[in-house]
Amino acid sequence: MNKKKKLKRPVASFIILTNIIFLPLFCLVGAVKMLGFPTWVFDIVRCLSAWSSTFAFAILFSKIYPGQHFLHFVKQKFKNQLRFSVILSVLLIQATIFMIILLVVMKNTKADAILTISSWGMLSYYFFKNLLSGPIGEELGWRGFALLELQKKYGSLQSAIIIGFWWGIWHLPIWFTTGFTGLELLKYIIFFMLSIISTTIIMTAFYTINQNLIIPIMIHQFFNFFIGIINENLIILMMYNAILYSIVAFLLILMNPKKVWSNKPNQ
């Protein structure tokens, strides 16, 4: 019986297929919005579009890892015990960034409400809606597969920058739905990419220390959640995130926790 041939460039194939799947789903999201479907229909379709990377990885899985089972692979990503020190560090870092941004916005804003959501019920709904889409839908492919696959060839920092860049580029169609044009759009893209790459560096540091996919899911969740509940211009919010997450990423690189960045590529 002939053995299945492995993909020669699995990460590149994954990125290309992720974008191919995402584009029609993204167009469907726009169509649902324009046609005035109920909000819950829009939320479901938007959630599905965020899962494009998981769909792409599932389709390519048998060619990337011949003879392995997809569900077993997924389970392995959550098998390692979570470290309290890692969870606490992540929570403190992101809560601190959130509080700094919130205080700055409170000082400078003239808006009546500092938060976009006023009730606990809506806050809970937004939290879980956000969790089911971006964090859970994206992390298996981008961090659980692509990042770790690149680390077999490159060091952790280089792998983080590569994946952060392509993960950011995957969001390209969304940039043009923000309503920004010209210089404003350029500013948004720069701050967005800087935020995404910095966040990926942070994810990589803590995920390398504690190999459980809950870690990047958690970082992704709080990045999206916190930026979504502050009532401020999106460019300004993205600028604050870009600055603060970049500072944290730079400090983690300097500190090199548990020699994360000095790790040699896995052979």
Side-chain angles (χ1 to χ4, degrees):
M1 185 170 61
N2 295 329
K3 292 183 178 178
K4 290 183 179 180
K5 292 183 178 180
K6 293 183 68 174
L7 283 177
K8 292 183 179 180
R9 303 186 66 182
V11 175
S13 299
F14 161 77
I15 293 172
I16 291 170
L17 185 57
T18 294
N19 282 277
I20 290 173
I21 294 173
F22 176 65
L23 285 174
L25 288 174
F26 178 76
C27 291
L28 180 60
V29 172
V32 167
K33 184 74 172 179
M34 289 176 61
L35 293 172
F37 279 84
T39 302
W40 65 269
V41 176
F42 174 78
D43 288 342
I44 290 174
V45 176
R46 188 177 181 182
C47 180
L48 284 174
S49 70
W51 280 69
S52 58
S53 58
T54 298
F55 297 150
F57 179 52
I59 291 169
L60 295 173
F61 183 82
S62 62
K63 294 181 180 180
I64 298 172
Y65 303 115
Q68 295 189 39
H69 296 285
F70 180 73
L71 290 180
H72 176 73
F73 179 92
V74 175
K75 288 179 182 178
Q76 292 296 106
K77 295 302 170 183
F78 298 93
K79 73 171 186 177
N80 291 336
Q81 184 176 357
L82 289 168
R83 298 184 185 179
F84 177 75
S85 59
V86 172
I87 294 175
L88 183 61
S89 297
V90 167
L91 289 175
L92 286 175
I93 287 169
Q94 293 189 275
T96 300
I97 290 174
F98 171 70
M99 290 306 299
I100 291 173
I101 295 175
L102 195 62
L103 289 172
V104 172
V105 171
M106 286 176 65
K107 183 178 180 181
N108 298 329
T109 189
K110 296 179 181 179
D112 296 331
I114 199 67
L115 299 178
T116 59
I117 300 173
S118 58
S119 70
W120 285 106
M122 288 302 298
L123 192 68
S124 299
Y125 173 75
Y126 178 74
F127 183 90
F128 287 107
K129 180 185 72 171
N130 182 75
L131 179 64
L132 288 173
S133 55
I136 294 180
E138 297 173 30
E139 289 308 316
L140 177 64
W142 289 106
R143 251 62 60 174
F145 158 66
L147 175 65
L148 297 185
E149 193 68 25
L150 279 184
Q151 285 178 305
K152 296 177 181 178
K153 185 177 181 181
Y154 307 105
S156 295
L157 182 56
Q158 189 175 356
S159 298
I161 294 172
I162 293 171
I163 289 300
F165 174 80
W166 286 112
W167 182 41
I169 293 298
W170 172 71
H171 291 82
L172 185 148
I174 301 174
W175 299 344
F176 298 99
T177 64
T178 58
F180 301 130
T181 58
L183 184 58
E184 283 193 332
L185 179 60
L186 180 61
K187 287 180 181 179
Y188 175 77
I189 292 172
I190 292 171
F191 294 143
F192 182 92
M193 289 299 293
L194 189 55
S195 298
I196 286 288
I197 293 173
S198 299
T199 302
T200 304
I201 290 172
I202 296 168
M203 285 178 176
T204 303
F206 288 109
Y207 188 32
T208 302
I209 295 170
N210 192 178
Q211 290 279 324
N212 189 309
L213 201 60
I214 290 293
I215 301 304
I217 287 174
M218 184 187 309
I219 295 171
H220 190 166
Q221 167 68 356
F222 284 113
F223 177 89
N224 285 0
F225 179 72
F226 286 147
I227 200 172
I229 63 174
I230 299 178
N231 187 20
E232 179 56 280
N233 179 276
L234 187 57
I235 294 178
I236 294 175
L237 284 178
M238 200 59 72
M239 179 185 69
Y240 292 151
N241 272 274
I243 293 170
L244 294 171
Y245 275 88
S246 294
I247 291 172
V248 173
F250 182 69
L251 290 175
L252 284 173
I253 293 170
L254 287 181
M255 293 167 59
N256 197 11
K258 295 188 181 296
K259 298 183 178 179
V260 167
W261 311 119
S262 59
N263 283 351
K264 295 181 179 179
N266 297 322
Q267 302 298 324

